[in-house]
Amino acid sequence: MNLEDAGFSTKLIHAGEIEDQFGSATVPIYQTSTFRFKSAQHGADCFSGASDGYIYTRIANPTIRALEQNIAALENGFGGIATSSGMAAITSVYMALLNGGDHIISTAAVYGPARGVLEQDFARFQVEASFVNTADIEEIKKAIQPNSKVLYIETPANPTMEITDIAACAVIAKEHGLVLVVDNTFCTPYLQKPLDLGADVVLHSVTKFINGHADIVGGIIITKESVLYKKIRHCMVYMGCNMDPHQAYMVLRGVKTLSVRIDRNQDNAIKVAAFLETHPKVSWIKYPGLASHPQFELAKRQMSGPGSIISFGLKGGLEAGRKLMDNVHLAVLAVSLGGVESLIQHPASMTHAGISVEDKQEAGITDDLVRFSVGIENAENIINDLRQALEKV
Ligand SMILES: *Cc1c(COP(=O)(O)O)cnc(C)c1O
């Protein structure tokens, strides 16, 4: 079936489907490390590229390929490269696009390890990195050097919820010959399509919304065209960052409900945000769906919905944050986001507890900040749970 003009939800269900000899309705798990060649000639053809037969699962596998084709169709890309984790997707992209002596410009509040691996590991190979507030286009322009090769952005950024203008970044990237990479984990292609806005590469931690059920870790990279696709896939295969067929099957199952899940996550988040905005113990709230968000207009233009991640501040700082964590019962006290279940996190006492005050400040992480990933439970239950926990703060 030609899905070119099909709607997003139709693609979720059918893009990447395969026909096998048994007429399986879902993509089976091809749990095999290697593939039988029909003859010496067939083996030679598979290696030379004259045949597109499978060789070895680190290189390619039918279950993994089905997922890669599915997500590439959703992002309007040339092809997908599935990886063992979101971080494997990020490091494969860095490895493929950066040489010693090159420079990358990245969002300051980017996912912690995506910054750490540049500062601690790629630095050992003379890769230079600048971390700037990419929500301010002038800051990006100021950071460009003659050896700049990649502009890497995460929008909305985590947990500050700051938004970077993807189309404006694409213009700058083109002007200066930079590859524009966007981490689209928070929005998924249902809410934001970076390749349509001019990005060259999109990547995801599929651990979050795309799989959506908090039961696997995985990642994927999608490129706009074939040259970058081949370059990044080559690196991924050589480094052995591939996804496993069982993982791919789980994600294929999870992604089918992406649009219905996000619709519900988001409806709930809008209600939770309205509740928090007027609560006397909440000092501030950042959610792209509220007119109080500093980039509300950009969010409306760039995203087809505000999503379901909310950051808010508690009067009473660190202690208040701890109290809230110990009194929520419905929301799971855990890192990660984008699942069917509500998840709550207090960075200052949890994920960022070991980080210096200056580094926390620079990343916009204050002691009072709470991050809430709104699930698909009944909205009144989520709100009542927060209400009773806030009473104890
Ligand atoms: C979780 C996350 C990652 C890392 O993904 P893993 O699957 O945990 O390796 C990268 N970027 C963002 C925005 C994330 O939320």
Side-chain angles (χ1 to χ4, degrees):
M1 189 190 158
N2 180 11
L3 292 171
E4 197 94 325
D5 301 319
F8 189 86
S9 293
T10 304
K11 286 184 186 168
L12 282 177
I13 311 295
H14 297 293
E17 268 179 342
I18 59 178
E19 276 179 34
D20 71 359
Q21 66 188 112
F22 306 109
S24 306
T26 61
V27 178
I29 312 175
Y30 287 90
Q31 196 73 46
T32 181
S33 59
T34 194
F35 297 84
R36 213 185 280 269
F37 299 128
K38 295 183 180 78
S39 64
Q41 188 56 47
H42 179 227
D45 290 347
C46 286
F47 274 100
S48 74
S51 161
D52 61 1
Y54 290 97
I55 299 170
Y56 186 61
T57 283
R58 177 160 49 74
I59 302 170
N61 170 289
T63 315
I64 301 170
R65 181 167 290 170
L67 176 67
E68 290 171 337
Q69 291 184 343
N70 181 282
I71 310 290
L74 303 177
E75 289 280 15
N76 296 330
F78 169 79
I81 303 161
T83 55
S84 56
S85 68
M87 276 311 298
I90 292 167
T91 51
S92 297
V93 166
Y94 289 165
M95 189 65 95
L97 301 183
L98 294 163
N99 296 318
D102 286 350
H103 176 239
I104 174 172
I105 299 159
S106 173
T107 303
V110 74
Y111 184 73
R115 177 172 178 157
V117 75
L118 287 172
E119 291 178 325
Q120 292 164 36
D121 299 291
F122 280 84
R124 294 186 288 114
F125 305 104
Q126 286 70 52
V127 170
E128 269 187 86
S130 298
F131 300 92
V132 303
N133 174 15
T134 52
D136 180 352
I137 291 298
E138 292 310 312
E139 282 217 24
I140 300 177
K141 287 185 186 161
K142 270 191 265 167
I144 295 172
Q145 305 177 177
N147 59 341
S148 300
K149 294 288 157 61
V150 177
L151 174 56
Y152 183 104
I153 61 175
E154 187 182 314
T155 180
N158 172 26
T160 58
M161 300 310 291
E162 262 165 10
I163 295 171
T164 297
D165 188 332
I166 300 172
C169 284
V171 172
I172 296 176
K174 194 155 226 160
E175 232 173 70
H176 296 272
L178 313 176
V179 178
L180 177 61
V181 181
V182 181
D183 182 335
N184 201 26
T185 299
F186 266 47
C187 281
T188 84
Y190 185 50
L191 299 181
Q192 174 171 283
K193 292 194 180 62
L195 299 181
D196 289 356
L197 296 170
D200 303 296
V201 179
V202 171
L203 58 85
H204 290 274
S205 166
V206 301
T207 314
K208 316 294 167 52
F209 287 100
I210 287 184
N211 180 59
H213 293 74
D215 50 11
I216 64 102
V217 167
I220 199 160
I221 304 152
I222 302 95
T223 69
K224 185 73 191 164
E225 44 76 293
S226 65
V227 177
L228 279 178
Y229 174 83
K230 284 183 191 139
K231 200 169 171 176
I232 298 170
R233 177 170 278 284
H234 166 88
C235 248
M236 185 284 283
V237 168
Y238 270 29
M239 294 197 298
C241 297
N242 60 288
M243 191 177 265
D244 175 84
H246 184 259
Q247 236 176 326
Y249 171 83
M250 297 287 279
V251 183
L252 274 167
R253 179 176 156 131
V255 77
K256 286 185 203 288
T257 54
L258 183 71
S259 57
V260 289
R261 280 189 283 110
I262 290 188
D263 282 345
R264 176 66 171 266
N265 284 118
Q266 193 168 261
D267 280 353
N268 284 352
I270 290 166
K271 290 176 188 156
V272 170
F275 163 74
L276 289 171
E277 194 174 30
T278 55
H279 197 284
K281 291 194 178 156
V282 173
S283 48
W284 57 266
I285 174 167
K286 261 202 182 166
Y287 176 61
L290 293 175
S292 60
H293 190 287
Q295 295 148 301
F296 181 63
E297 290 306 319
L298 171 59
K300 272 204 297 197
R301 198 163 72 231
Q302 178 164 290
M303 298 154 64
S304 61
S308 52
I309 314 293
I310 300 172
S311 283
F312 61 97
L314 284 175
K315 291 179 185 159
L318 192 68
E319 235 359 86
R322 281 218 181 95
K323 259 273 161 56
L324 185 73
M325 295 303 109
D326 283 336
N327 285 289
V328 285
H329 304 306
L330 179 66
V332 181
L333 183 53
V335 296
S336 197
L337 56 97
V340 289
E341 60 287 294
S342 293
L343 295 172
I344 196 162
Q345 215 252 101
H346 179 224
S349 71
M350 297 164 75
T351 42
H352 295 70
I355 294 177
S356 73
V357 177
E358 299 81 62
D359 284 355
K360 270 191 287 200
Q361 239 163 18
E362 196 197 307
I365 294 157
T366 47
D367 281 350
D368 61 348
L369 186 150
V370 174
R371 191 183 75 192
F372 197 77
S373 171
V374 184
I376 66 169
E377 301 94 340
N378 289 91
E380 62 271 25
N381 295 145
I382 302 171
I383 291 171
N384 285 339
D385 184 43
L386 278 173
R387 182 182 286 121
Q388 65 78 28
L390 282 165
E391 269 164 24
K392 302 199 173 93
V393 166

